[in-house]
Amino acid sequence: MGKMIAVCGSPDCGKTVTALKLAQEIYHLSKTSIVFLSPDINVPSMAYLFPNGKDSDLYSLGAALDKTDIYKEDVIRQTVNVKTMQNFGFLGFKLGENRYSYPRPTEDKILQLFAVLRDCAEYVIVDCPCDSGDTVSTLS
């Protein structure tokens, strides 16, 4: 079962950069599997993290959460891997998605996602959204 690290803070304080640097350092020091989770629907991270990525090569956290039950295969299918870093993947929302794109996930669904992610990777780094009503931030 993997470890989960949540990076929280005020808007524009550098959470995403800190979380990315932390994930990279853990990866380079341990060469272990990492999943970077960016669940902020207000600032879809996939276009930011992969600015040159084709839309067809970027997947969405929303698609994994939209399932009735969350299975490891579905999460892996929605994870975008870094070609130069084996076992380093990203899970977030795509450009154009917003809070109306998918139903709001329940606590049970988020906890199920966390369990699957911890089963998929040695480390799960969560870049927590600033939204105080965000279920992912509350539970991480």
Side-chain angles (χ1 to χ4, degrees):
M1 185 79 34
K3 298 167 184 68
M4 185 171 280
I5 300 171
V7 179
C8 305
S10 305
D12 297 323
C13 71
K15 290 182 303 301
T16 301
V17 171
T18 301
L20 282 169
K21 291 291 184 184
L22 179 64
Q24 287 174 329
E25 286 302 312
I26 291 171
Y27 176 81
H28 287 301
L29 291 173
S30 64
K31 295 295 184 202
T32 190
S33 56
I34 305 277
V35 172
F36 185 89
L37 177 63
S38 182
D40 192 347
I41 190 74
N42 297 316
V43 184
S45 63
M46 298 314 284
Y48 168 72
L49 296 171
F50 298 96
N52 298 324
K54 296 178 189 172
D55 194 50
S56 60
D57 294 337
L58 301 179
Y59 310 108
S60 178
L61 170 61
L65 288 172
D66 198 31
K67 303 280 185 177
T68 304
D69 289 310
I70 299 175
Y71 295 104
K72 187 175 182 177
E73 296 79 24
D74 295 324
V75 171
I76 291 170
R77 195 173 302 120
Q78 296 305 321
T79 302
V80 178
N81 293 305
V82 178
K83 292 177 184 171
T84 59
M85 300 167 78
Q86 187 177 1
N87 296 323
F88 195 117
F90 291 86
L91 196 55
F93 289 100
K94 292 171 49 172
L95 188 64
E97 294 181 330
N98 59 52
R99 62 185 177 155
Y100 303 111
S101 299
Y102 301 99
R104 188 177 182 104
T106 62
E107 280 189 28
D108 289 343
K109 188 147 308 193
I110 297 298
L111 292 174
Q112 193 178 17
L113 173 68
F114 286 167
V116 168
L117 287 174
R118 291 176 69 199
D119 190 42
C120 289
E122 286 295 315
Y123 288 91
V124 178
I125 310 296
V126 184
D127 179 20
C128 293
C130 297
D131 183 5
S132 61
D134 179 70
T135 312
V136 174
S137 298
T138 308
L139 297 173
S140 53

